[in-house]
DNA sequence: CTCAATTTGTTAATTAGTAAACACAAGTAC
DNA sequence: GTACTTGTGTTTACTAATTAACAAATTGAG
């Protein structure tokens, strides 16, 4: 991967941080480009070097995280579910401000469905309806079931502001997956 | 004041933050330019656009704070000592990591004397040996006395990690000044 | 509605930051 | 001793960010 100029990364980091902060303060529609420019301490014009508009910024922010999660899935491919889940929950924990914003409250609806869609895609390969315990089950239905459950638990975790440490979340999600896949 | 390019300010902020962080981790002499570059996330060459070397960086960091304090003195000129002190201790509090580093431990000796020198200069105008209670006292001696006392108390406050809130520090320093000037 | 103020999106000229390469100085290991 | 690493300070060509100006679209108050 051709390494990216550090100024680009700094600018984008600042903007991502800014949009999360501002979304915690007001409705996304009420955020102006000027707000973002001020908060991120970046020239207004600079924003247009990277994004079409604020919606594009939010989209790319979401896709960045989805892609990160995809990478984690790759890394976790040959681990058991519990160990793999630990990588996942670690990432969720490290990006608490983003996921909490997206799942626990305001930004919710769009991100939730994008997140679910991603999970269905990821679990597709894991679902094995040929396995004894899954004989006779519909493959797509299985995928939907597991992914929805996963999203639901993650949502619960954020809405309740981490009622258990992420390690516990990982361990329990891991064994629930184990049981169902 | 001609406003300064925001990139310059960002870079210098990052470097100042970096040098404080690193000085908390190791001896100043052991800090390399590369360390600073890594920590501040700034190209190594960029550092030389602003500073001669790391000593120059530290010097300028110190002078920046001294100048800020000088501005505060100007603003506080027509306030009573207690109210004026509040501005002071607020600034010290807001820049805890710097002043604590400089007064409570390692960086100490050089900064302490620079700080004292500054205080003597600032108090010079306040000392009034013509006043009744100060009749017969040596003007320079008075300055040295008050400034040393001030530094001492501030040092105590940082070494003991803010044993009282900055408002209390201000109030007590203020009335001690009142009593002596 | 209408006028004024914001906000937007784009542009051109300029400036600061960047990476990479360089010669050189100190250590440090062998 | 020499070879090897590590850090320094400088330069060059290049790229991203900046400011300021602009016209057009939105918004909002009277």
């Amino acid at each position: 991967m051709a390494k990216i100029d550090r100024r680009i990364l700094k600018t984008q980091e600042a903007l991502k941080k800014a949009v999360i902060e501002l979304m915690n303060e007001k409705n996304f529609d009420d955020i102006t480009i000027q707000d973002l420019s001020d908060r991120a301490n970046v020239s207004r014009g600079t924003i247009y070097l990277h994004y079409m508009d604020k919606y594009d910024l939010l989209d790319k922010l979401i896709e960045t995280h989805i892609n990160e999660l995809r990478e984690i899935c790759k890394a976790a491919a040959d681990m058991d579910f519990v160990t793999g889940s630990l990588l996942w929950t670690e990432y969720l924990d490290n990006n608490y401000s983003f996921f909490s914003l997206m799942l626990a409250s305001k930004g919710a609806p769009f991100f939730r469905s994008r997140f679910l869609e991603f999970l269905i895609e990821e679990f597709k390969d894991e679902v094995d309806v040929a396995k004894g315990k899954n004989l006779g089950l519909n493959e797509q239905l299985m995928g939907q079931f597991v992914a929805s459950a996963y999203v639901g638990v993650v949502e619960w975790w954020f809405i309740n502001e981490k009622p258990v440490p992420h390690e516990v979340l990982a361990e329990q999600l891991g064994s629930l997956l184990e049981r169902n896949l």
Side-chain angles (χ1 to χ4, degrees), chain A:
Chain A
M1 182 168 62
K3 76 177 160 185
I4 301 168
D5 192 306
R6 124 201 281 157
R7 282 170 295 183
I8 295 179
L9 297 175
K10 282 188 221 176
T11 298
Q12 297 188 348
E13 264 320 298
L15 285 168
K16 286 171 183 171
K17 184 158 169 278
V19 78
I20 291 173
E21 280 179 28
L22 288 166
M23 284 180 77
N24 273 307
E25 294 167 21
K26 51 169 132 174
N27 200 302
F28 182 69
D29 290 326
D30 295 338
I31 297 173
T32 67
I33 296 285
Q34 187 67 56
D35 287 337
L36 288 162
S37 155
D38 292 343
R39 185 65 64 102
N41 196 23
V42 151
S43 183
R44 197 164 56 83
T46 300
I47 298 177
Y48 296 105
L49 297 177
H50 299 276
Y51 309 102
M52 303 289 298
D53 50 35
K54 65 181 178 178
Y55 301 99
D56 188 41
L57 165 54
L58 183 59
D59 274 2
K60 292 209 165 99
L61 174 55
I62 290 172
E63 288 310 311
T64 299
H65 283 291
I66 295 284
N67 285 330
E68 277 302 314
L69 289 171
R70 206 192 311 280
E71 288 304 311
I72 292 174
C73 287
K74 270 187 211 148
D78 47 0
M79 296 175 182
D80 63 284
F81 286 120
V82 175
T83 319
S85 282
L86 196 56
L87 297 181
W88 257 75
T89 62
E90 220 160 20
Y91 185 78
L92 297 179
D93 203 23
N94 289 337
N95 295 279
Y96 187 80
S97 60
F98 172 75
F99 288 106
S100 175
L101 176 65
M102 288 296 168
L103 287 175
S105 53
K106 351 211 184 203
F110 174 67
F111 180 72
R112 206 204 111 97
S113 62
R114 179 69 188 88
F115 189 40
L116 182 63
E117 175 198 315
F118 162 70
L119 280 176
I120 290 171
E121 180 194 326
E122 284 297 327
F123 282 135
K124 200 159 52 190
D125 299 338
E126 308 285 345
V127 173
D128 185 2
V129 287
K131 237 188 206 159
K133 66 183 172 193
N134 293 334
L135 281 177
L137 291 174
N138 176 295
E139 193 164 350
Q140 290 201 4
L141 185 152
M142 277 287 296
Q144 189 73 32
F145 174 85
V146 177
S148 298
Y150 207 101
V151 173
V153 172
V154 171
E155 247 176 348
W156 161 86
W157 192 66
F158 282 112
I159 287 172
N160 293 283
E161 294 167 14
K162 302 204 285 183
V164 298
H166 85 264
E167 292 89 350
V168 174
L169 178 66
E171 199 262 321
Q172 308 204 2
L173 268 177
S175 45
L176 284 167
L177 287 183
E178 191 74 56
R179 171 186 308 172
N180 285 290
L181 292 175

